[in-house]
């Protein structure tokens, strides 16, 4: 398979990482850590929090050097698996290839934070009343969207 087939993967990954990092830079410039701004009362805030753990703060309490090594290694292994899986998908199956690219871009976006800061910046805070979804970011959104797209692809038998 030609190397040109990797261009869509790299393009989508680059776009996701760029959008993720730009939003995080803007957030840190305008919203101090542990503060926020109400955007839609009762539903959505922009907040500035940091997550040392994984999804839903998994392993947030683990020793920092072990935790960082674990998440970096896990991300690199998952990226290798996802890129391999992407390469096995037919080029005309853009849906599934986009799903893999979104997940890879999100993984790299959060990896950049981990390598740069030792933690991930989260800022999107959705809630209803006292029920909050854990804060997340653009990279997390790309991962979640890609995962849903992959599930749909599997259900469609692709």
């Amino acid at each position: 398979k030609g190397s040109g087939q990797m261009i869509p993967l790299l393009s989508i990954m680059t776009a996701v990482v760029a959008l993720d990092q730009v939003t995080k830079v803007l957030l840190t410039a305008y919203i101090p850590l542990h503060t926020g701004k109400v955007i839609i009362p009762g539903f959505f805030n922009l907040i500035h929090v940091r997550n040392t753990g994984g999804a839903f703060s998994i392993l947030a309490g683990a020793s920092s050097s072990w935790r960082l090594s674990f998440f970096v290694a896990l991300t690199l292994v998952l990226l290798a698996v996802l890129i391999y899986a992407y390469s096995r998908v037919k080029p005309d199956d853009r849906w599934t290839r986009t799903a893999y690219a979104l997940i890879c871009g999100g993984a790299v976006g959060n990896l950049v934070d981990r390598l740069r800061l030792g933690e991930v910046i989260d800022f999107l805070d959705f809630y209803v009343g006292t029920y909050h979804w854990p804060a997340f970011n653009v990279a997390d959104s790309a991962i979640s969207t890609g995962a849903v797209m992959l599930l749909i692809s599997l259900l469609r038998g692709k």
Side-chain angles (χ1 to χ4, degrees):
K1 297 186 178 185
S3 61
Q5 292 185 23
M6 296 307 248
I7 291 172
L9 171 75
L10 295 174
S11 298
I12 292 169
M13 282 178 61
T14 300
V16 168
V17 172
L19 182 61
D20 180 62
Q21 291 300 306
V22 165
T23 57
K24 290 171 179 174
V25 166
L26 290 171
L27 175 85
T28 56
Y30 293 103
I31 300 178
L33 187 59
H34 304 299
T35 66
K37 293 189 184 294
V38 175
I39 304 300
I40 302 172
F43 182 68
F44 176 63
N45 298 328
L46 284 177
I47 62 172
H48 184 171
V49 295
R50 305 290 177 102
N51 181 3
T52 57
F56 305 103
S57 296
I58 293 170
L59 299 178
S63 120
S64 62
S65 61
W66 179 87
R67 183 182 60 239
L68 180 62
S69 299
F70 173 78
F71 282 121
V72 169
L74 179 64
T75 301
L76 294 175
V77 168
L78 288 174
L79 280 170
V81 169
L82 290 166
I83 291 168
Y84 173 77
Y86 174 94
S87 74
R88 306 292 297 163
V89 175
K90 293 178 184 164
D92 64 339
D93 185 358
R94 290 188 181 108
W95 178 270
T96 304
R97 287 181 140 219
T98 299
Y100 282 121
L102 287 169
I103 296 168
C104 288
V108 171
N110 282 336
L111 179 61
V112 168
D113 280 12
R114 288 190 193 288
L115 293 173
R116 196 168 60 90
L117 306 168
E119 57 194 1
V120 174
I121 298 171
D122 288 325
F123 58 92
L124 301 168
D125 176 38
F126 286 91
Y127 62 99
V128 176
T130 58
Y131 298 99
H132 281 252
W133 185 256
F136 59 102
N137 58 44
V138 171
D140 298 333
S141 299
I143 292 167
S144 298
T145 300
V148 168
M149 289 173 70
L150 267 184
L151 181 61
I152 291 168
S153 188
L154 288 170
L155 294 174
R156 289 175 33 208
K158 294 238 175 190

